[in-house]
Amino acid sequence: MDNNESQDRYGDSKKNSNAKSERVAVVGAVRSPFVKSFGVFENETALSLSLRVATELIARTGVQASDIDECIWGVVIPQTKNANLAREIVLFSGLPTTIAGFTLNKACDSSLQTAEIAADRIRLGKNQLVLAGGVEVLSDVPIPFSDEARRFLTKMSRARSFKERLSLIGSVNPKWFLPKPPALAEPFTGLTMGEHAEIMCVKNNVSRERQDELAYKSHINAAKATEAGYLKDEIIPIWCGKDKTIFVDKDNMIRPETTIEAMSKLKPVFDRKTGTITAGNASPLTDGAAGLLLASENYVKEKNLPVLGYIVDFITVGVDPNDQLLIGPAYTIPKILKNNNLRKEDIDVYEIHEAFAGQVLSCLDAMKNEKFCREKLNMPVFGDIPADKLNIQGGAIAIGHPFGATGARLIGNALRIAKRKNGKYALVSVCAAGGIGMSVLLETK
């Protein structure tokens, strides 16, 4: 195969360039407040929060609802009530029923993935305007029963006579109906995310002191951003509670009063004897939703719409779950910059998802480790990310982490910060269950 044939096959030739020449604009990005699970949003559902975000996003941007081609939504904990949440957002919000929708699960990368699919469809000319995002309401998690209970209930529903039902009831063991709480463990390894993060901290020699310091900084930066009003544009206020009498207009887990001394007194959660991960330096269980409207540049110009920024590129990697499950950003950040001929100095805003402080520090340490970069990335050492460019307004440790919504939040957050700093490029990176890492490169101009 000669060079020209290779270019044609892989889409690099001139004849294929037009399909991907149009830029994809982020027209809008909003979210609900991120709140502690089993609290003020305990009466909300994945659908109810998503509806509020989607309808407010459309209202704020002023797009014509009938122009939306598709809704793509992410959610991680399976929703038995809403098998295809994205389509139900369309139907229950009163949007035109002609808008298609599908729901996906890519663990904590879910809403980054919805944005990538939306951007790809726009670049290919299939869509011009797409609603993308994600949600997680752990307060409304389905609680399954045992397999024995499921089989019993199935047989009861199929029984044709009272005598048959009575016979089945006689065989019931009450233990069958003890609820099984949803597991947050890795199916492949049997370990929880926290246990995997502990392994990373040991392997990379990440101290408890460094983790607490990063967590403290997350809270202080998030508190400063809230106080300065920087989050108002992205957060939609919500009336909630059983009678809709509770008003929530800001994230409720940020602790401006916290100190490193107070954090140092918290006990380890996952490895109680020698562990370093605590409730203070890990992201909390969170309820929330976040949405994006992505559009073709031609559509934006035609409708004279405001633009937050543009999608440049995405990258996804898989890593060995038995090694460092949450190390993905250390792979995706250097690779996406190399793929786009950029240096780390070219990026004005970095967002690395704070699942755990130890996981973030492990990724940062790996990128400045010559052996890791040579053996894992086949690259020279990447080096330090400047602290004043990283998670400038705090991260998930302070703000919270609704699994399906975090990626969309980070895209909107990173672009707003970059525009305020008059910067050009922002980079968002998120680790995820299953040993997945994902990054998106954004630009404001």
Side-chain angles (χ1 to χ4, degrees), residues 139-182:
S139 298
D140 187 42
V141 171
I143 304 295
F145 292 101
S146 67
D147 291 341
E148 292 84 357
R150 173 181 55 80
R151 284 191 286 267
F152 165 75
L153 292 172
T154 301
K155 289 177 181 178
M156 282 289 287
S157 69
R158 298 175 65 185
R160 297 184 178 181
S161 68
F162 175 77
K163 183 178 180 180
E164 192 176 349
R165 292 190 186 96
L166 196 61
S167 174
L168 289 168
I169 291 172
S171 67
V172 169
N173 185 333
K175 291 183 179 180
W176 293 352
F177 292 90
L178 291 174
K180 296 172 63 178

Side-chain angles (χ1 to χ4, degrees), residues 79-310:
Q79 294 293 307
T80 54
K81 294 182 289 190
N82 311 110
N84 187 358
L85 183 62
R87 177 61 174 164
E88 293 185 21
I89 291 170
V90 171
L91 298 177
F92 282 89
S93 64
L95 289 170
T97 57
T98 52
I99 299 172
F102 67 92
T103 308
L104 61 82
N105 178 356
K106 196 179 182 182
C108 300
D109 287 331
S110 291
S111 53
L112 281 187
Q113 187 61 58
T114 68
E116 180 177 24
I117 294 171
D120 285 347
R121 289 182 185 270
I122 290 168
R123 287 194 181 103
L124 290 171
K126 292 184 174 183
N127 293 336
Q128 64 175 354
L129 181 64
V130 181
L131 175 62
V135 65
E136 214 69 51
V137 181
L138 296 179
S139 298
D140 187 42
V141 171
I143 304 295
F145 292 101
S146 67
D147 291 341
E148 292 84 357
R150 173 181 55 80
R151 284 191 286 267
F152 165 75
L153 292 172
T154 301
K155 289 177 181 178
M156 282 289 287
S157 69
R158 298 175 65 185
R160 297 184 178 181
S161 68
F162 175 77
K163 183 178 180 180
E164 192 176 349
R165 292 190 186 96
L166 196 61
S167 174
L168 289 168
I169 291 172
S171 67
V172 169
N173 185 333
K175 291 183 179 180
W176 293 352
F177 292 90
L178 291 174
K180 296 172 63 178
L184 296 178
E186 276 288 302
F188 186 70
T189 64
L191 302 177
T192 65
M193 297 295 106
E195 289 169 330
H196 275 288
E198 285 281 16
I199 290 171
M200 292 176 67
C201 290
V202 172
K203 185 163 189 171
N204 299 295
N205 196 28
V206 178
S207 69
R208 166 75 182 269
E209 290 73 23
R210 289 180 67 200
Q211 293 175 62
D212 288 346
E213 183 180 348
L214 187 148
Y216 169 76
K217 186 176 179 181
S218 182
H219 280 281
I220 297 305
N221 287 350
K224 288 180 178 178
T226 302
E227 183 66 24
Y230 292 150
L231 303 182
K232 282 187 176 180
D233 287 345
E234 70 181 60
I235 297 177
I236 63 170
I238 288 181
W239 286 95
C240 58
K242 189 174 182 180
D243 300 316
K244 306 302 180 192
T245 56
I246 301 172
F247 183 72
V248 184
D249 64 348
K250 60 181 65 175
D251 307 315
N252 73 0
M253 292 172 288
I254 300 170
R255 300 287 179 261
E257 75 285 353
T258 194
T259 64
I260 294 179
E261 290 74 22
M263 286 190 172
S264 69
K265 296 176 182 178
L266 297 174
K267 296 184 181 300
V269 176
F270 301 101
D271 180 349
R272 297 183 184 277
K273 291 184 178 180
T274 61
T276 56
I277 296 176
T278 69
N281 57 38
S283 59
L285 295 178
T286 311
D287 297 339
L292 306 165
L293 268 174
L294 304 185
S296 68
E297 193 168 25
N298 281 339
Y299 178 82
V300 166
K301 291 177 180 177
E302 177 189 337
K303 302 294 183 179
N304 193 29
L305 296 174
V307 173
L308 271 177
Y310 298 89

Side-chain angles (χ1 to χ4, degrees), residues 344-387:
K344 72 174 187 291
E345 294 80 13
D346 295 323
I347 306 302
D348 301 288
V349 176
Y350 286 90
E351 289 282 347
I352 299 180
H353 166 50
E354 295 174 354
F356 304 91
Q359 153 260 322
V360 176
L361 292 166
S362 291
C363 290
L364 293 173
D365 288 354
M367 288 187 285
K368 59 184 181 182
N369 182 288
E370 184 178 355
K371 182 179 179 182
F372 176 89
C373 292
R374 182 179 68 251
E375 294 181 359
K376 302 294 186 181
L377 306 179
N378 193 27
M379 294 181 189
V381 64
F382 183 77
D384 278 312
I385 292 177

